[in-house]
Amino acid sequence: MKPSIPEPQLEKTTCLLCGSMHSTLYQEGADYFMRLPGTFYLVRCASCRLLYQNPRPPLDGIDHYYPDHYGSYSSTHVGLYAHPGLAGWLIRRAQHHRCRLLDQAVVAAPNQTRRLLDVGCASGLFLEAMQHYSGWQVEGVELNQQAAQITSKRLGIPVFAGPLEAARFPDATFDAITLWDVLEHLHDPMTSLRELRRILKPGGALFVRVPNAASYVAKGCGRYWSGYDLPRHMTAFTPRTLSHVLQQTGFDRLVCRYASGSYIAALHSLRFALDNSTFNAERAALIHRLLLHPFVRATVCLPTRLADQVFGGSNMEVLVLAHET
Ligand SMILES: [Zn+2]
């Protein structure tokens, strides 16, 4: 168990994309997910329109907002095939969908081994799924020491415990790099992406998934949209600002963009809104459980997917290639 970390004093920052000091308030909210005290602010850059948290928790105090029961680490002891029933099948299907995209995007010569790095690999479900594809050598980077050790031991692969830059990988090491729900957490995404560009081979693939602040769920749910996840998310990307960030760091050949996750995001956002209203707490929990039932989810799967394609899903997954030179 972590020692109790004091609540940090928030720090002011300039725009993470263009460095401008000028911005306007976009959204004010609280920590609806972990329910830690504080009021947090998302602003929009007056110059490039990036949405970013300002003021924000400093890097050396951010641990306060990642308690031991934070979602990404809570399944550390559970493997990809340990999830039962339809929910487990949905998880495996989503992971293998990502694996297939990556496997097809990064073409290898006969008998060539392709190297994959998953940044922020947490409990390693994606890396575990990739181990079923031949011709890949996989490894991870994970800030959480305990999650890194457990994932490394469980999968028998290298997992560097610490920040990406501290791993000091040689230039042009990897054929593919993935960041699932990670980029929005970074204090300096531009520096991290330039580091990823350095360690990615020319022509290599970067696969990024982030919440989509321009989605219909984000607009409909306002401050309660789960994709804001204040104060852990430093940035709230839209398709436009994500493209700018990637282009300016050496990734400009967009291969594909997928939308996903609107139903689950809407459910969590609804729960946050009900928890912060006078609505009966037991009824709110019951509604949430019913709507999370795998059969309800399977029923709404197709209409949600269609809406995501037309109006923009709550998450966007982008596959981009690095410059050849
Ligand atoms: Zn800006």
Side-chain angles (χ1 to χ4, degrees):
M1 184 134 173
K2 277 185 195 171
S4 177
I5 302 167
E7 187 178 333
Q9 185 156 15
L10 303 185
E11 64 175 13
K12 293 283 280 180
T13 181
T14 54
C15 175
L16 312 188
L17 170 54
C18 75
S20 169
M21 295 169 62
H22 303 291
S23 61
T24 53
L25 180 64
Y26 183 77
Q27 199 67 263
E28 179 182 328
D31 182 355
Y32 301 117
F33 185 29
M34 292 286 116
R35 303 181 73 83
L36 293 167
T39 302
F40 306 100
Y41 305 92
L42 203 60
V43 301
R44 177 154 57 193
C45 175
S47 177
C48 72
R49 302 181 70 77
L50 182 76
L51 300 172
Y52 61 100
Q53 192 185 165
N54 192 24
R56 64 183 187 175
L59 187 58
D60 61 8
I62 194 67
D63 274 2
H64 173 77
Y65 296 102
Y66 290 91
D68 284 339
H69 57 288
Y70 177 67
S72 297
Y73 305 133
S74 59
S75 63
T76 295
H77 295 278
V78 181
L80 184 61
Y81 292 88
H83 294 271
L86 188 56
W89 180 81
L90 287 170
I91 291 170
R92 289 187 287 278
R93 196 185 68 144
Q95 296 293 351
H96 284 293
H97 169 71
R98 294 171 176 179
C99 294
R100 275 196 303 278
L101 287 176
L102 202 58
D103 193 49
Q104 290 164 6
V106 183
V107 180
N111 301 319
Q112 182 203 344
T113 299
R114 293 162 288 180
R115 287 188 69 178
L116 164 67
L117 179 70
D118 188 29
V119 179
C121 64
S123 55
L125 296 186
F126 171 65
L127 290 175
E128 186 178 357
M130 277 305 292
Q131 287 183 314
H132 294 265
Y133 286 73
S134 62
W136 284 95
Q137 179 186 331
V138 304
E139 57 195 279
V141 170
E142 174 51 53
L143 209 51
N144 183 289
Q145 301 273 337
Q146 191 186 15
Q149 287 171 6
I150 293 172
T151 299
S152 175
K153 191 174 175 187
R154 188 172 72 81
L155 301 181
I157 59 168
V159 177
F160 178 81
L164 167 72
E165 289 79 2
R168 297 181 182 277
F169 292 110
D171 291 355
T173 299
F174 298 100
D175 299 278
I177 298 175
T178 49
L179 293 94
W180 306 115
D181 308 308
V182 168
L183 191 63
E184 65 276 20
H185 291 260
L186 303 180
H187 276 69
D188 188 354
M190 301 297 279
T191 298
S192 298
L193 282 168
R194 289 192 182 101
E195 172 68 358
L196 293 176
R197 176 65 191 88
R198 183 186 71 76
I199 64 176
L200 192 64
K201 291 179 182 173
L206 178 77
F207 213 154
V208 175
R209 179 176 117 134
V210 293
N212 176 10
S215 64
Y216 64 99
V217 180
K219 288 173 180 167
C221 297
R223 69 172 65 184
Y224 297 113
W225 178 51
S226 61
Y228 291 136
D229 196 16
L230 294 168
R232 283 162 293 279
H233 289 187
M234 300 300 146
T235 317
F237 291 103
T238 63
R240 181 174 173 271
T241 54
L242 180 64
S243 292
H244 285 178
V245 165
L246 292 170
Q247 279 169 7
Q248 290 195 19
T249 49
F251 303 94
D252 68 343
R253 292 170 52 205
L254 179 71
V255 178
C256 59
R257 177 182 288 136
Y258 290 90
S260 63
S262 291
Y263 184 66
I264 293 295
L267 271 193
H268 289 317
S269 308
L270 173 67
R271 181 67 191 269
F272 296 156
L274 292 178
D275 286 349
N276 284 275
S277 72
T278 54
F279 197 82
N280 180 285
E282 283 181 15
R283 281 188 192 167
L286 179 65
I287 290 170
H288 192 247
R289 273 205 305 278
L290 280 173
L291 293 175
L292 260 180
H293 193 281
F295 289 104
V296 179
R297 289 170 60 182
T299 306
V300 298
C301 180
L302 185 60
T304 308
R305 189 170 290 183
L306 287 174
D308 283 356
Q309 296 309 314
V310 176
F311 303 112
S314 190
N315 293 311
M316 48 184 166
E317 297 180 7
V318 177
L319 179 61
V320 283
L321 298 182
H323 298 296
E324 290 286 350
T325 54

